Amino acid sequence: MRGKVRDVYTISETELALIATDRVSAFDVVLPTPLPGKGVLLTSIAEFWLGWIESRGLARTHLISTDADRLPDRLFEPGGTARGDLVGRTTIARRAEVLPIEFVVRGYLEGSGWREYSSSGRVCGHRLPPGLARCGRLPEPILTPATKAAAGAHDENITESDAASSIGAARYEQARAIALRIFREASAYAEARGLILADTKFEFGIDPEEPDSGPIVVDEALTPDSSRFWPADGYAPGKPQPSFDKQYVRAYLEQLVAQGRWNRSPPGPELPGDIVSGTLERYREAVERLTVGA
């Protein structure tokens, strides 16, 4: 199965292979320009965070291995992708029944949260104090769920009540508590390394072999593709912050939208070389600052 930025293959009834490509998506659109080496960087940091989550007893995750040698020979066709091409890009994961909700946790006010707050004083049903600045820190992290859209469609922010209704209140509360707990501990970890974790999204699934054990973290976690990381030194609310994530790509695309050169619908525009290299540079710095010496 081809996803936005990952390709998924069945290994067995209990295991999947997730291959991180160099594709990049923004505004739920897969762009035509790859970011060379992005898949390796994201696999590295996702492996780190998933192991970090499990080692601290915060949650179970889908991670089994990142060893491409564990992939069965039947996945490779003569003349096609070689095993060596997948080194550093492979995640062998537990199969899970994925909950159809993205659990977005916000500690700061930016992106779609800032836009909604500016117009209504709310974010996904949360009434927030008046007078908050763009990129300002929230009194407490909030959970702002979103629907999981199919490729080419746009995710939609929803209220917590709607999210709970869609998957069941008990299951929602389990996943919500895990997401907030991971966010708080990951924020403290990032802060100790000079980074602010502004917001992130988690996805959860139910392990069919242990359905009563609670949700497990699936997909990626706390990567530059799913999170906003800002440098702590120089942080100043009231304006956009420099980011170690794909905000560099989004900012370029927003310029095109403002100029009437793109409407946020497929097909996406090509990315110029400086945007490609600048984005990769930010991804590399995020990986190094978060994982080196950990």
Side-chain angles (χ1 to χ4, degrees), residues 60-253:
R60 292 175 61 224
T61 79
H62 71 172
L63 178 65
I64 295 173
S65 174
T66 56
D67 184 0
D69 286 339
R70 290 193 51 175
L71 295 172
D73 292 338
R74 61 179 171 76
L75 295 182
F76 299 93
E77 298 179 358
T81 300
R83 189 182 300 273
D85 297 331
L86 303 185
V87 172
R89 299 178 178 275
T90 299
T91 298
I92 297 174
R94 294 178 182 85
R95 292 185 72 122
E97 179 186 344
V98 178
L99 302 178
I101 296 292
E102 292 185 342
F103 289 75
V104 181
V105 186
R106 303 176 188 270
Y108 292 75
L109 200 53
E110 179 58 306
S112 63
W114 165 247
R115 290 191 292 273
E116 184 178 351
Y117 172 79
S118 298
S119 64
S120 69
R122 296 177 178 269
V123 179
C124 295
H126 293 272
R127 168 65 69 180
L128 298 178
L132 296 179
R134 182 175 185 177
C135 296
R137 185 169 185 170
L138 299 174
E140 291 289 338
I142 59 174
L143 198 298
T144 60
T147 59
K148 282 176 57 63
H154 295 287
D155 297 338
E156 179 182 351
N157 291 344
I158 58 176
T159 66
E160 291 202 82
S161 176
D162 288 340
S165 295
S166 71
I167 63 173
R171 189 66 82 194
Y172 180 78
E173 285 302 321
Q174 285 180 316
R176 180 184 190 276
I178 293 170
L180 288 169
R181 185 163 65 242
I182 295 173
F183 182 84
R184 289 189 175 96
E185 294 211 17
S187 294
Y189 174 88
E191 185 177 352
R193 287 175 167 258
L195 294 178
I196 293 170
L197 175 58
D199 56 50
T200 193
K201 72 171 182 179
F202 298 104
E203 296 189 33
F204 294 97
I206 304 303
D207 183 348
E209 295 193 320
E210 299 183 50
D212 297 326
S213 64
I216 67 173
V217 179
V218 301
D219 198 60
E220 60 188 358
L222 299 159
T223 72
D225 259 16
S226 63
S227 316
R228 282 187 176 89
F229 288 101
W230 300 332
D233 57 330
Y235 164 70
K239 61 181 181 180
Q241 308 297 306
S243 298
F244 296 110
D245 53 52
K246 64 180 178 182
Q247 181 57 34
Y248 197 61
V249 171
R250 286 192 293 258
Y252 170 75
L253 295 176

Side-chain angles (χ1 to χ4, degrees), residues 13-64:
E13 291 185 356
T14 59
E15 294 184 359
L16 297 173
L18 281 62
I19 309 302
T21 73
D22 291 338
R23 298 192 295 268
V24 61
S25 70
F27 306 115
D28 299 309
V29 175
V30 178
L31 303 178
T33 310
L35 303 183
K38 168 181 174 282
V40 173
L41 287 168
L42 290 188
T43 299
S44 171
I45 196 167
E47 179 186 20
F48 166 78
W49 278 118
L50 292 172
W52 184 91
I53 288 167
E54 290 202 349
S55 70
R56 282 158 177 76
L58 299 174
R60 292 175 61 224
T61 79
H62 71 172
L63 178 65
I64 295 173

